[in-house]
């Protein structure tokens, strides 16, 4: 069900209204703080190639989400190598958040 448009001209649906009401201000702030910490850790912990692959895979820093195959072609490496780098980077970030 369509409810109208937001200030940017995007359509607002029933789901948008329900989801936004379910989140408290505390949840929104917590999410924003976690995202900020994630970006900080990506910059601190990951090597340049790991950072690039994570940004491309998950569409961070304004990049478009890409598959491992797309990244492999773009970088001229194998898809399995992209997968290994991605896994290593995610494990590094995971360890940082557990500390």
């Amino acid at each position: 069900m369509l409810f109208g448009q937001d200030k940017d001209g995007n359509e607002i649906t029933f789901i948008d209204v329900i989801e936004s009401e379910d989140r408290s201000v505390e949840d929104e702030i917590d999410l924003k703080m976690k995202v900020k910490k994630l970006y900080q850790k990506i910059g601190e912990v990951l090597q340049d190639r790991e950072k690039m692959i994570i940004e491309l895979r998950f569409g961070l820093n304004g990049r478009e989400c890409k598959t491992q195959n797309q990244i492999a072609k773009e970088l001229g490496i194998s898809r399995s190598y992209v997968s290994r780098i991605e896994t290593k980077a995610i494990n590094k970030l995971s360890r940082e958040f557990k500390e």
Side-chain angles (χ1 to χ4, degrees), residues 17-30:
V17 173
I18 291 173
E19 286 179 351
S20 66
E21 290 177 5
D22 287 345
R23 285 193 209 145
S24 68
V25 172
E26 292 86 8
D27 290 340
E28 289 290 329
I29 291 171
D30 185 52

Side-chain angles (χ1 to χ4, degrees), residues 1-14 16-17:
M1 175 182 280
L2 184 63
F3 274 83
Q5 295 182 339
D6 65 11
K7 64 181 180 177
D8 297 323
N10 300 313
E11 293 181 346
I12 299 174
T13 64
F14 181 67
D16 295 327
V17 173

Side-chain angles (χ1 to χ4, degrees), residues 81-95:
Y81 190 44
V82 170
S83 178
R84 287 192 303 269
I85 294 170
E86 178 185 336
T87 300
K88 182 179 175 185
I90 290 171
N91 287 336
K92 281 183 176 181
L93 291 171
S94 179
R95 282 192 302 272

Side-chain angles (χ1 to χ4, degrees), residues 66-79:
K66 295 187 177 187
T67 66
Q68 289 178 345
N69 283 329
Q70 290 171 321
I71 296 169
K73 286 179 184 176
E74 186 175 317
L75 299 179
I77 58 179
S78 70
R79 190 222 43 91

Side-chain angles (χ1 to χ4, degrees), residues 55-67:
E55 288 176 350
L56 290 169
R57 275 294 279 148
F58 299 101
L60 304 176
N61 285 328
R63 296 179 183 253
E64 180 183 334
C65 288
K66 295 187 177 187
T67 66

